[in-house]
Amino acid sequence: MKALLLVDVQNDFMPGGSLEVPHGNLIVTLINRLQKYFDLVVATQDWHPQNHMSFASNHSNKKPFDEINLNGIKQILWPDHCVQGSKGAELHPDLKINKIAAIFRKGMDPEIDSYSGFYDNNHQISTGLSGYLKEKGITELFFCGLAADICVYYTIKDSLKEGFSATLIEDASRPLSIDVFNRIKNELTNKGVRIISSHEFLI
Ligand code: VGL
Ligand code: ZN
């Protein structure tokens, strides 16, 4: 059984949002058209409290994209984004939501960031996504959403550790940094991740 995972298709990651991903809006139509090819569609949502320590605004003398050590791990500081209950945290208004069976939220602990939809960045606390997918009989995961080089990337890596097969639908995902994305594409391919175009579904 195949599931499509929609990673963080949220307003703040769209052009004009507080942590915009270039051309992030262009994936929405593709994702809408892809959904019908899957047994299950599940979404993740970055969902931070206003006092989240990944926000530069919660540190004195720090600015967005600075790097700090947060409770023993490397943390890039971000502009405030995806604050619980805000417009920026909502899924893109044009995203079709009828087929989304469940939404897994992450990044709620102010002391630790959570790029992956499966675990926090310390790999300590699970969202329950892995168990949910397994109970639904899912073995194959297909990934789309934002940002390709951050949350999509870490979610894919965790999915492999959880024993799923992983395919990235490249044109239904966009990176914050193209350079970073080109580097990690090789890493993912070497780990057995398939990278395809939505054309393999949409003709
Ligand atoms: C993300 C940075 C911070 C993402 C979330 O969804 O890729 N990136 N929080
Ligand atoms: Zn975040």
Side-chain angles (χ1 to χ4, degrees), residues 13 46 48 54 81 113:
F13 299 124
D46 212 31
H48 299 305
S54 76
H81 65 279
D113 214 349

Side-chain angles (χ1 to χ4, degrees), residues 37-195:
Y37 298 98
F38 295 87
D39 303 302
L40 182 71
V41 179
V42 175
T44 64
Q45 218 172 2
D46 212 31
W47 196 252
H48 299 305
Q50 183 61 61
N51 66 344
H52 199 267
M53 290 318 237
S54 76
F55 295 172
S57 66
N58 289 320
H59 301 266
S60 42
N61 304 317
K62 295 286 173 202
K63 51 186 193 318
F65 307 103
D66 283 353
E67 208 176 277
I68 63 159
N69 181 306
L70 179 60
N71 301 316
I73 56 176
K74 241 173 40 177
Q75 174 70 51
I76 300 172
L77 295 176
W78 306 107
D80 293 12
H81 65 279
C82 298
V83 173
Q84 297 166 358
S86 69
K87 265 266 170 266
E90 288 175 12
L91 298 174
H92 188 288
D94 296 337
L95 183 69
K96 280 200 192 147
I97 56 172
N98 291 6
K99 239 188 102 100
I100 300 176
I103 298 175
F104 285 78
R105 289 176 169 161
K106 61 186 179 66
M108 293 154 79
D109 180 343
E111 293 296 330
I112 178 115
D113 214 349
S114 197
Y115 294 153
S116 158
F118 290 96
Y119 292 95
D120 65 40
N121 287 3
N122 251 336
H123 225 265
Q124 296 279 310
I125 309 289
S126 163
T127 60
L129 176 58
S130 182
Y132 173 80
L133 295 170
K134 284 174 182 164
E135 189 160 337
K136 293 281 187 190
I138 300 299
T139 51
E140 294 175 59
L141 284 179
F142 290 74
F143 293 87
C144 58
L146 304 171
D149 50 340
I150 307 171
C151 287
V152 176
Y153 167 68
Y154 284 99
T155 306
I156 290 176
K157 286 213 298 186
D158 275 350
S159 77
L160 298 173
K161 287 190 201 144
E162 294 296 316
F164 298 98
S165 84
T167 303
L168 170 63
I169 307 174
E170 188 175 359
D171 53 333
S173 184
R174 296 291 157 123
L176 211 49
S177 156
I178 297 202
D179 288 344
V180 173
F181 183 59
N182 283 336
R183 247 183 287 130
I184 63 189
K185 252 163 70 170
N186 285 325
E187 180 199 331
L188 290 178
T189 306
N190 290 337
K191 287 194 156 96
V193 176
R194 288 198 314 144
I195 299 182

